Amino acid sequence: MSEAILAPGRKLGVIGAGVMGSALLKGMLDHDLLTREQAWAASKTETSCHEVAAALGVRASRDYEESVADAGILLVAVKPNQAARVAEKLNASGLRADTLVISVLAGVSTEKLQGLLTTGNPVIRAMPNTPCLVGHGVTVYCGGVHALPEHLAVAEKIFHSVGKALEVEEHYFNAITALSGSGPAYMYLVMEALADAGVRVGLPRDLAMELVAQTMLGSARMVQETGRHPASLRDDVTTPAGCTIGGLLMLEDGKIRSVLARAVEEATKIVEQLGRGKS
Ligand SMILES: NC(=O)c1ccc[n+]([C@@H]2O[C@H](COP(=O)([O-])OP(=O)(O)OC[C@H]3O[C@@H](n4cnc5c(N)ncnc54)[C@H](OP(=O)(O)O)[C@@H]3O)[C@@H](O)[C@H]2O)c1
């Protein structure tokens, strides 16, 4: 056990072990944050329970009421419209006041979550993204009013097990949801378009896609590992009168900067509207 996150005798339950819940649980198990015996999972259907039990080797069931009282940490990863139903069940199942409740529900504020729980639990809200599935996600998190530094430290360990983890102020959540929560979809669109471009100039599709994916990965690593501004790194690739400057000018003619900015602006507005409906 490298970095235990649970007090002795307590367990971690994932309520909603779908795409995100399972990815987070897998990260924790792979990084020895807990043992399989210390974890349980809950989903809505028997089929999902069987799948997660087979994939991760943890106990999984539809009925988790009897496990709530022993839980030291509850990770809630159901769809946002299930928040009230889950909270009602927790309130009726002996939820202890010191159980840390971590939610990844988009648009559900810490204030809303705390209001749904009757025991005044420490609550953490987080926004991961799907590259968590391959250990390269980025997750932001923030604590509610009852969350102490030790609770934030636990969240950091959990989300660090599936990529980068950054503590942020809650008022950034809508913008972050639109930028890094939705971000993988933007990147996939760019990758698809560039692979098509490769096909247009005569490359086999598989080769084009492999080149594009590794170029995107390598460029991101260059920004992260050198700490240099992307414009400066771009200058290194751009030889006078060369092909790269020609390609870049075509991208600028197509208004790539403002198109990307407007996309994130639009997504942020939609998240805000969704949040008003839910929280
Ligand atoms: N996917 C993302 O990119 C992403 C990113 C950031 C945040 N999130 C947040 O993560 C949450 C889950 O998203 P997801 O993509 O992982 O969805 P998902 O794959 O559909 O998973 C939802 C899980 O919740 C279970 N479930 C539904 N109702 C339940 C209930 N009343 N009690 C217990 N379990 C219940 C489902 O069981 P069944 O499979 O049996 O129906 C399923 O296992 C959402 O709130 C979303 O906002 C997702």
Side-chain angles (χ1 to χ4, degrees):
M1 187 71 31
S2 60
E3 295 187 76
I5 52 173
L6 285 165
R10 308 293 288 275
K11 298 201 171 180
L12 180 143
V14 176
I15 302 175
V19 173
M20 198 47 77
S22 298
L24 291 166
L25 185 50
K26 181 175 185 309
M28 288 184 261
L29 292 168
D30 287 351
H31 285 76
D32 293 332
L33 295 187
L34 73 176
T35 62
R36 284 177 164 72
E37 292 68 37
Q38 287 176 305
W40 54 265
S43 274
K44 195 170 161 196
T45 59
E46 286 296 345
T47 314
S48 289
C49 292
H50 286 312
E51 279 171 9
V52 71
L56 299 180
V58 298
R59 189 163 55 84
S61 81
R62 298 177 61 215
D63 307 308
Y64 55 90
E65 290 90 332
E66 287 185 1
S67 305
V68 169
D70 283 343
I73 302 171
L74 288 171
L75 179 67
V76 185
V78 295
K79 293 288 188 194
N81 65 8
Q82 294 295 305
R85 181 171 300 189
V86 169
E88 208 174 300
K89 207 163 186 173
L90 296 179
N91 291 332
S93 307
L95 176 67
R96 280 157 62 169
D98 66 348
T99 299
L100 173 61
V101 179
I102 302 179
S103 156
V104 297
L105 278 55
V108 179
S109 65
T110 52
E111 191 184 357
K112 166 83 175 169
L113 204 55
Q114 278 158 191
L116 290 171
L117 298 170
T118 52
T119 18
N121 294 72
V123 156
I124 284 180
R125 175 184 181 188
M127 174 50 58
N129 66 5
T130 48
C132 285
L133 273 74
V134 290
H136 290 282
V138 61
T139 305
V140 297
Y141 62 93
C142 68
V145 290
H146 304 302
L148 301 172
E150 69 218 49
H151 300 123
L152 291 161
V154 166
E156 199 278 334
K157 281 182 192 167
I158 291 176
F159 294 111
H160 187 67
S161 75
V162 287
K164 269 187 186 265
L166 306 167
E167 186 186 349
V168 300
E169 291 174 30
E170 190 162 12
H171 65 89
Y172 288 135
F173 262 68
N174 288 341
I176 290 171
T177 304
L179 188 64
S180 59
S182 304
Y186 311 149
M187 300 303 167
Y188 299 141
L189 182 67
V190 169
M191 288 169 68
E192 185 193 358
L194 282 175
D196 275 348
V199 173
R200 174 72 182 96
V201 293
L203 297 176
R205 183 165 292 281
D206 288 356
L207 175 60
M209 191 58 86
E210 196 172 348
L211 293 170
V212 166
Q214 185 60 26
T215 301
M216 186 166 263
L217 189 64
S219 307
R221 295 292 293 263
M222 285 291 282
V223 170
Q224 286 184 328
E225 289 179 23
T226 66
R228 287 172 59 196
H229 193 286
S232 157
L233 289 166
R234 202 177 61 223
D235 283 351
D236 291 350
V237 193
T238 315
T239 48
C243 61
T244 308
I245 189 67
L248 285 169
L249 286 175
M250 291 301 285
L251 290 171
E252 297 285 9
D253 283 352
K255 298 196 167 81
I256 187 162
R257 285 170 202 267
S258 57
V259 165
L260 290 172
R262 296 285 177 228
V264 174
E265 192 180 18
E266 176 67 10
T268 306
K269 281 185 202 155
I270 296 171
V271 181
E272 281 163 6
Q273 285 160 9
L274 292 174
R276 272 196 289 275
K278 271 177 222 123
S279 46

